[in-house]
Amino acid sequence: MNLLIQLLLSTHLIIGESPFFQSSDLSNQTLTLQTERYSIYDDQGQECGLLVYKDTSGLIYWYRRVQTPVCLTGECKLVDVGIYWDCTGDFFGIEIYGEHLTKTDHSVFTSEDYKRLVQILKNDWSLLREYELDGLVDNPQSDEIDGLSGATKTEIASETVENAVFSTYTIWHLVHLGEKEQLIDLTLRQLKNEKLAYETLIENENDKYRYFILSLLSQGKIAHTPQLDSLVLEGLRTKENTLVKKLSYQCLFKINLDRNAQLDLIPIYSNSSMVNKIKILSAFDSTIVVEPELQQVFLGDLNTNNEWLFNKLQHVLGK
């Protein structure tokens, strides 16, 4: 499909239609369409148009509208869906246009079916990833995909909407295969170009977004800033989220260990486990100056019986 046509179709506000179904996360969120247009590539290498939305705080959401056939028993129907991802590339929500999704018995999706579909779409690592379309059912009655019928394979039945294995499979693959990495790259481009989007992500209190931006820092995809340095130190202090804390230790090597940062590290180091003390000391391998106040804390640990810690202390204090 021509990319311009895709973008026009994607902008459902232009053609004035309302979706038949909208997932709850979307209906509870106020999103504003931005003027920019983007694209990613699907698994066949075809360019796909994307729109960008922002919520009231400035967080980014990516949107793609897709019209694609879903083949049932002897019949293929065109489904029309809008897929939303948040700025981390995770599935956020879905809209259904034109008409409701249907099952193999031609009944339409119920509200419970849609809830079930959304839960399945939230799973990045569904077993659906491991299957081809023609391997979804047992004892197919035809070699043609659009003629398949039979019972859904037992091992994937729990990961599909009942009597809607082909619709579930098709939409899950639209959401998950290949898109996430491309969406993260687009988000990264936005963060580098828009100071507001960058600051909004750092200041968000949701640990998911903190983890995301710390991951970008640890991978060297973004440079440290005073705000990010503070975020790392805050992550070292957290007791609630062990994943954020672990990632913050990895990012400690990326930040500016100036005087203020070193003073902030004093209570963190003093209350840390032996393993984490070694991680903090390792971050000073390339730091020339260790502030006197922090030196005194390090000196207090020289009586340790741990050889690894003692060697690290000697190395840092030897500077």
Side-chain angles (χ1 to χ4, degrees), residues 11-256:
T11 315
H12 55 277
L13 295 175
I14 292 178
I15 54 182
E17 65 186 308
S18 297
F20 276 81
F21 169 78
Q22 185 181 60
S23 55
S24 59
D25 285 344
L26 279 173
S27 60
N28 293 329
Q29 186 64 270
T30 301
L31 299 181
T32 303
L33 179 65
Q34 306 300 298
T35 57
E36 300 91 339
R37 300 294 183 265
Y38 299 87
S39 64
I40 57 175
Y41 293 89
D42 63 19
D43 294 335
Q44 287 71 48
Q46 297 297 311
E47 192 173 10
C48 307
L50 283 183
L51 301 176
V52 61
Y53 285 80
K54 289 185 180 179
D55 66 15
T56 53
S57 73
L59 283 177
I60 296 166
Y61 297 83
W62 301 104
Y63 170 87
R64 177 188 176 194
R65 184 164 177 179
V66 188
Q67 292 181 324
T68 186
V70 172
C71 298
L72 306 175
T73 53
E75 178 186 2
C76 280
K77 295 191 68 174
L78 194 68
V79 298
D80 191 351
V81 300
I83 301 169
Y84 292 78
W85 297 267
D86 66 23
C87 60
T88 73
D90 285 344
F91 169 75
F92 180 73
I94 189 170
E95 293 175 334
I96 309 297
Y97 310 109
E99 59 181 320
H100 281 294
L101 297 177
T102 56
K103 304 182 182 184
T104 53
D105 61 3
H106 304 293
S107 63
V108 299
F109 271 42
T110 65
S111 59
E112 291 302 314
D113 290 328
Y114 280 122
K115 288 180 183 178
R116 175 66 185 144
L117 175 64
V118 171
Q119 286 302 117
I120 293 166
L121 296 179
K122 288 181 178 181
N123 181 9
D124 281 4
W125 297 102
S126 169
L127 285 176
L128 295 173
R129 182 183 291 274
E130 308 300 327
Y131 285 79
E132 298 294 334
L133 189 61
D134 58 359
L136 299 175
V137 297
D138 291 317
N139 304 315
Q141 297 176 6
S142 169
D143 291 334
E144 298 295 327
I145 294 297
D146 61 0
L148 283 173
S149 64
T152 303
K153 285 187 178 294
T154 304
E155 56 267 32
I156 61 170
S158 63
E159 304 202 31
T160 64
V161 176
E162 186 176 5
N163 295 324
V165 60
F166 299 112
S167 297
T168 307
Y169 176 90
T170 300
I171 297 173
W172 187 91
H173 277 252
L174 288 173
V175 169
H176 290 286
L177 286 193
E179 278 78 1
K180 187 165 188 173
E181 292 75 13
Q182 297 182 73
L183 294 171
I184 290 175
D185 286 342
L186 288 179
T187 296
L188 189 57
R189 188 193 309 175
Q190 290 282 99
L191 296 180
K192 289 180 177 178
N193 293 337
E194 294 186 29
K195 183 179 180 182
L196 179 60
Y198 182 81
E199 292 176 349
T200 298
L201 192 58
I202 293 176
E203 294 169 2
N204 194 286
E205 295 182 356
N206 189 327
D207 279 342
K208 172 182 178 175
Y209 299 118
R210 294 185 179 191
Y211 187 85
F212 175 66
I213 200 159
L214 287 173
S215 296
L216 295 177
L217 177 62
S218 69
Q219 297 168 47
K221 292 185 176 180
I222 55 176
H224 78 89
T225 65
Q227 284 178 299
L228 268 179
D229 292 353
S230 297
L231 190 65
V232 171
L233 293 169
E234 184 180 339
L236 297 180
R237 287 189 288 265
T238 185
K239 296 179 180 178
E240 290 77 22
N241 193 314
T242 55
L243 290 176
V244 167
K245 188 167 191 171
K246 180 178 179 181
L247 192 53
S248 296
Y249 274 104
Q250 295 176 23
C251 292
L252 193 55
F253 296 85
K254 303 285 186 178
I255 71 172
N256 179 20

